[in-house]
Amino acid sequence: MDRLKSVFDEFVSRHGIGVALFISLTVLVWVLVLIALPQVAMLDYSFRHNLSPQDIGGPQDVYTLSNYGFFLFRDGSGTNTLDMGVLGKTILASVLVTIIDVIVCYPIAFILAHSATGVAARLMILGLIVPFWVNEILRAFAFRVIFGATGLINGVGMSLGFWDVPIDFIRANVALYSGLTYTYILLMVFPIYNAVEALDRNQIEAAQDMGASWWRVHWRIVLPVAKPGIASGATMVFMLTAGALAAPQILGGPSNLWFTQLVYQWFSDAGNWQRGSAYAAILLVTCLGFVLLMMKVFKVNIGAIGR
């Protein structure tokens, strides 16, 4: 609390009390109205029965754990392995997408921070940002076209003789993982870039002068500095991937089901907002628990991620 007060006092001294109060009020409204209250309402819904409008507020309108029990046991007909399996597969797929994003974005961020200068740096930034001016759904359909049976990948591969018949990249979920990796690439690049940019180039040159290999320079010097940025980017990419809906629906194969699609089905198709809220709460708690576990494993605190 004292630290928060000191930060507020420092901000007031720099920008004035008016700006500080306006920003504080805006953040408070944003957090309270757009984040906290909807989550509280969803949590309240998740403990309610799915009643008709005339029964709401009546004697049957009581709190219950049946919506969460359905996720575990599906109305007492045995363990609900289907929905739990979908949740586990969604978490594992989100981890895979996050790892791919780290592998792809780390060298991009390093080159952007310490190698690219002038026109090259500006072109790299434009190349990263401009494609995201296109709507996410349109980008997902573009990936479906590229990876389709008659798409670019199959066309090039067959024309070069790499394979004779079209490969079903949609059913194999290659299109889905590629689309999700690309969708959140900026959320990984820029946190790593912000962390690596603070690294003194002289440290890298000194290590190279002492005979350190390229791998050792990055492992011992660059990665420790980039660790908070990687943790921040990985957290955002993982959470958003696990909560994605458009890309899994457009790019997912017929046998692939994302947990958010189950949530959508309960809300939209079944009209059971209470059970949909319970499933959404389960997804949120699972993702938060996984992120906190990974923070503990990799010894990264929330302050480092916030920076």
Side-chain angles (χ1 to χ4, degrees):
M1 193 68 181
D2 293 337
R3 179 175 175 77
L4 183 62
K5 185 177 182 301
S6 63
V7 170
F8 180 79
D9 292 339
E10 182 182 354
F11 190 87
V12 169
S13 64
R14 286 187 177 184
H15 304 282
I17 186 65
V19 174
L21 289 176
F22 173 76
I23 293 178
S24 300
L25 182 62
T26 303
V27 172
L28 178 63
V29 170
W30 176 58
V31 171
L32 187 64
V33 177
L34 299 180
I35 298 178
L37 291 181
Q39 297 295 332
V40 171
M42 183 188 72
L43 192 62
D44 179 71
Y45 260 65
S46 70
F47 290 104
R48 299 282 187 174
H49 290 286
N50 184 28
L51 303 174
S52 57
Q54 60 268 24
D55 292 328
I56 296 176
Q60 296 179 342
D61 191 6
V62 295
Y63 288 105
T64 177
L65 293 173
S66 61
N67 295 312
Y68 294 94
F70 183 89
F71 172 76
L72 296 174
F73 303 108
R74 190 175 282 273
D75 289 338
S77 58
T79 305
N80 190 357
T81 55
L82 175 62
D83 291 352
M84 287 191 285
V86 171
L87 177 60
K89 187 166 63 175
T90 300
I91 297 299
L92 290 177
S94 301
V95 172
L96 177 60
V97 170
T98 303
I99 293 173
I100 295 173
D101 260 333
V102 171
I103 295 173
V104 171
C105 295
Y106 174 79
I108 295 175
F110 180 79
I111 292 171
L112 191 60
H114 289 282
S115 297
T117 57
V119 176
R122 289 192 288 270
L123 288 176
M124 285 187 66
I125 293 175
L126 285 175
L128 288 169
I129 295 176
V130 169
F132 287 86
W133 292 357
V134 180
N135 183 272
E136 178 184 352
I137 296 178
L138 295 179
R139 292 200 307 269
F141 275 111
F143 269 88
R144 189 173 183 90
V145 171
I146 292 172
F147 285 96
T150 59
L152 177 64
I153 304 297
N154 271 311
V156 173
M158 293 173 64
S159 63
L160 295 177
F162 292 143
W163 53 84
D164 298 326
V165 295
I167 298 176
D168 193 348
F169 291 109
I170 304 297
R171 185 179 293 273
N173 291 324
V174 175
L176 175 59
Y177 293 153
S178 300
L180 288 171
T181 299
Y182 181 74
T183 297
Y184 304 116
I185 194 170
L186 291 183
L187 297 178
M188 184 69 74
V189 167
F190 288 117
I192 299 177
Y193 168 78
N194 289 333
V196 173
E197 189 184 26
L199 178 65
D200 188 356
R201 180 70 186 180
N202 292 328
Q203 292 180 274
I204 299 176
E205 293 176 353
Q208 291 173 335
D209 292 340
M210 296 178 67
S213 63
W214 186 89
W215 286 104
R216 192 169 182 82
V217 168
H218 281 268
W219 182 256
R220 298 297 298 272
I221 297 176
V222 182
L223 276 175
V225 176
K227 188 177 178 180
I230 294 174
S232 178
T235 300
M236 291 188 289
V237 170
F238 172 79
M239 295 293 286
L240 290 173
T241 302
L245 178 62
Q249 284 189 323
I250 296 171
L251 298 173
S255 61
N256 183 73
L257 188 63
W258 219 252
F259 196 77
T260 48
Q261 292 174 282
L262 293 181
V263 176
Y264 177 81
Q265 288 172 6
W266 283 118
F267 273 104
S268 180
D269 299 340
N272 193 335
W273 285 41
Q274 290 75 17
R275 189 157 291 165
S277 298
Y279 273 52
I282 290 170
L283 177 62
L284 176 63
V285 171
T286 303
C287 289
L288 288 175
F290 185 83
V291 168
L292 293 175
L293 176 63
M294 291 299 100
M295 288 170 56
K296 186 173 182 180
V297 169
F298 291 102
K299 299 179 181 179
V300 178
N301 56 45
I302 192 68
I305 293 178
R307 290 197 294 270

